[in-house]
Amino acid sequence: MPDDTLRIDRSAKTLRTLALERMREAIMDFHFQPGERLVERPLCDQLGVSRSVVREVLRQLEAEGLVQMIPGHGPAVARPDLGRTDEIYELRALLEGIAARACALSATGEQLATLERALADLFAAWASGMPPAVMRATTKFYEALFEAADKRVAWEIVSGLNVRINQLRSMTIASAKRREAAIAEMNEIMDAIRARKPEEAEAAARRHVESAWQIARTALRPPA
């Protein structure tokens, strides 16, 4: 008789993945507000999944920094931490600047073409007005950038940093002030890379992150 103990339940895996994506997007679209409690039973009804799936999803979102456990109250949507994010944006500016410099110096024609396609997809996502789509397209662009720069370890670090501030990034993307400025900044980065100007590429990449952080600070600042 065959041993099924290691058999993968594909339908359950798909259901969990879909529920995770839906909850992640709901948090980043502010369907759930920062600090709002996430109660299992209503979530089961809203998502149409079992309590065990909801618990797995909440654990994953906690690992991503989108959910936090409140003693005595249970899971809630995480509130961005200004003190922590200062350092995260500082590190992102440094590493993305290094990658842009290296890309301008050594990217092949094929790699630049991949980067151009990723940038076009990013601009299309901005036009859609959907923060989760913008974040996915941004991730693909920077993955291509770090790959062309041969900075794979740096990309792993940046990916980990971004997980910690996904909600804050979504707040920044949703800002009416951000879209036009971000598009101009990304064009500056690509212009410098195309022109093989490493110093300018690094400076543009750093400015892009620093500009996003200024918008994020405004979003985090309590009302007067």
Side-chain angles (χ1 to χ4, degrees):
M1 186 173 180
D3 182 357
D4 291 339
T5 57
L6 296 180
R7 184 180 297 276
I8 295 172
D9 187 340
R10 296 183 184 277
S11 61
K13 180 180 179 182
T14 300
L15 189 62
R16 176 191 177 280
T17 300
L18 291 172
L20 175 61
E21 291 175 354
R22 188 66 54 85
M23 279 295 297
R24 187 186 290 122
E25 291 188 3
I27 291 173
M28 292 191 293
D29 278 340
F30 304 104
H31 178 81
F32 300 108
Q33 297 298 310
E36 183 176 346
R37 288 186 62 199
L38 298 170
V39 183
E40 287 182 8
R41 186 69 264 169
L43 288 176
C44 291
D45 294 338
Q46 292 173 44
L47 294 167
V49 298
S50 69
R51 184 165 290 186
S52 63
V53 171
V54 167
R55 287 174 179 168
E56 289 179 23
V57 166
L58 292 176
R59 281 196 294 269
Q60 177 61 36
L61 292 173
E62 182 183 8
E64 294 179 10
L66 292 175
V67 167
Q68 61 185 140
M69 297 301 297
I70 309 297
H73 294 280
V77 178
R79 298 179 185 274
D81 181 344
L82 184 61
R84 181 182 66 177
T85 50
D86 265 329
E87 184 178 2
I88 290 174
Y89 275 92
E90 182 180 11
L91 289 169
R92 276 189 55 200
L94 176 64
L95 293 173
E96 290 177 21
I98 289 171
R101 166 186 279 272
C103 188
L105 284 170
S106 62
T108 67
E110 183 178 352
Q111 287 171 329
L112 289 180
T114 299
L115 205 54
E116 296 279 11
R117 289 192 295 272
L119 185 63
D121 290 343
L122 176 54
F123 289 164
W126 272 105
S128 76
M130 302 284 289
V134 176
M135 290 183 65
R136 285 192 294 269
T138 300
T139 297
K140 289 181 180 178
F141 173 83
Y142 277 101
E143 186 175 13
L145 176 68
F146 279 78
E147 177 70 24
D150 196 24
K151 300 293 183 184
R152 294 175 180 82
V153 174
W155 172 241
E156 290 176 7
I157 295 170
V158 169
S159 296
L161 293 173
N162 282 338
V163 162
R164 295 170 175 264
I165 55 168
N166 268 340
Q167 186 186 23
L168 187 55
R169 292 174 67 212
S170 184
M171 291 169 65
T172 302
I173 289 167
S175 168
K177 301 177 181 178
R178 187 60 187 145
R179 177 179 168 181
E180 290 185 10
I183 290 172
E185 291 158 8
M186 297 300 290
N187 275 324
E188 287 180 4
I189 295 169
M190 274 306 305
D191 287 346
I193 290 173
R194 289 188 201 101
R196 303 292 186 178
K197 296 180 177 179
E199 291 81 7
E200 291 183 16
E202 180 175 8
R206 291 178 66 97
R207 281 195 302 272
H208 177 62
V209 177
E210 289 159 3
S211 175
W213 181 215
Q214 290 305 313
I215 297 292
R217 278 179 173 274
T218 301
L220 286 175
R221 189 176 298 128

